[in-house]
């Protein structure tokens, strides 16, 4: 296995809270997948803000690891954070984000993305590793 890229992001949860207060559903619907929205909406107070903030940080970290940021057609809504049955967070890419992942993956290899997220108010943090394994 070889590491192709790493991305990290630190997010101020208070910033996400202000954006949610100002733009509400318009922001949430534009940035987050239906699964992400459902997970966050099932929580209340700081837990809800933390859920959105961690996922925001994960999207930013992933875009950095892809080497594009939010350009070349890559959008927040194309980077989805899902949870495996174990609770471990994982990433699902669609559209231009998935195409970019395929582009940076060497021929004959399969990409493996590892996501780690945490929050300690007022901050949320995410780190993404993209590796390639023979496949």
């Amino acid at each position: 296995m070889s590491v192709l890229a790493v991305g990290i992001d630190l997010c101020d949860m208070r910033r996400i809270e202000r954006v949610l207060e100002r733009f509400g559903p318009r922001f949430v619907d534009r940035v987050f997948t239906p699964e992400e929205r459902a997970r966050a909406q099932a929580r209340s107070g700081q837990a809800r803000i933390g859920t959105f903030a961690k996922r925001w940080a994960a999207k930013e970290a992933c875009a950095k690891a892809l080497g594009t940021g939010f350009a070349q057609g890559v959008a927040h809504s194309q980077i989805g954070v899902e949870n495996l049955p174990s609770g471990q967070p994982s990433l699902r890419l669609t559209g231009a984000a998935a195409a970019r992942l395929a582009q940076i993956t060497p021929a004959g290899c399969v990409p493996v993305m590892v996501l780690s997220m945490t929050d300690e108010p007022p901050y949320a943090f995410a780190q993404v590793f993209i590796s390639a394994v023979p496949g």
Side-chain angles (χ1 to χ4, degrees):
M1 179 175 1
S2 62
V3 175
L4 301 176
V6 177
I8 64 170
D9 191 70
L10 179 66
C11 172
D12 189 326
M13 294 167 62
R14 297 167 294 195
R15 178 174 166 238
I16 297 299
E17 186 172 26
R18 286 191 302 271
V19 170
L20 287 169
E21 288 170 359
R22 183 170 179 193
F23 298 105
R26 190 169 60 157
F27 167 71
V28 171
D29 292 346
R30 182 175 56 82
V31 172
F32 298 99
T33 67
E35 182 176 289
E36 291 170 321
R37 294 191 299 261
R39 187 171 194 84
Q41 299 298 359
R43 294 179 161 87
S44 61
Q46 279 302 112
R48 180 174 166 269
I49 301 302
T51 300
F52 279 129
K54 284 186 287 191
R55 280 151 183 78
W56 173 271
K59 292 167 184 285
E60 293 280 339
C62 183
K64 291 171 185 174
L66 291 173
T68 59
F70 292 103
Q72 300 177 32
V74 174
H76 287 88
S77 60
Q78 297 171 351
I79 302 170
V81 177
E82 300 179 349
N83 290 82
L84 302 176
S86 65
Q88 176 184 351
S90 63
L91 292 164
R92 179 184 303 253
L93 306 185
T94 60
R100 176 63 181 163
L101 178 62
Q103 184 181 42
I104 66 172
T105 303
C109 291
V110 175
V112 176
M113 296 183 294
V114 177
L115 167 63
S116 181
M117 303 183 299
T118 190
D119 65 329
E120 180 64 41
Y123 300 106
F125 176 82
Q127 186 167 26
V128 173
F129 288 89
I130 301 175
S131 301
V133 296

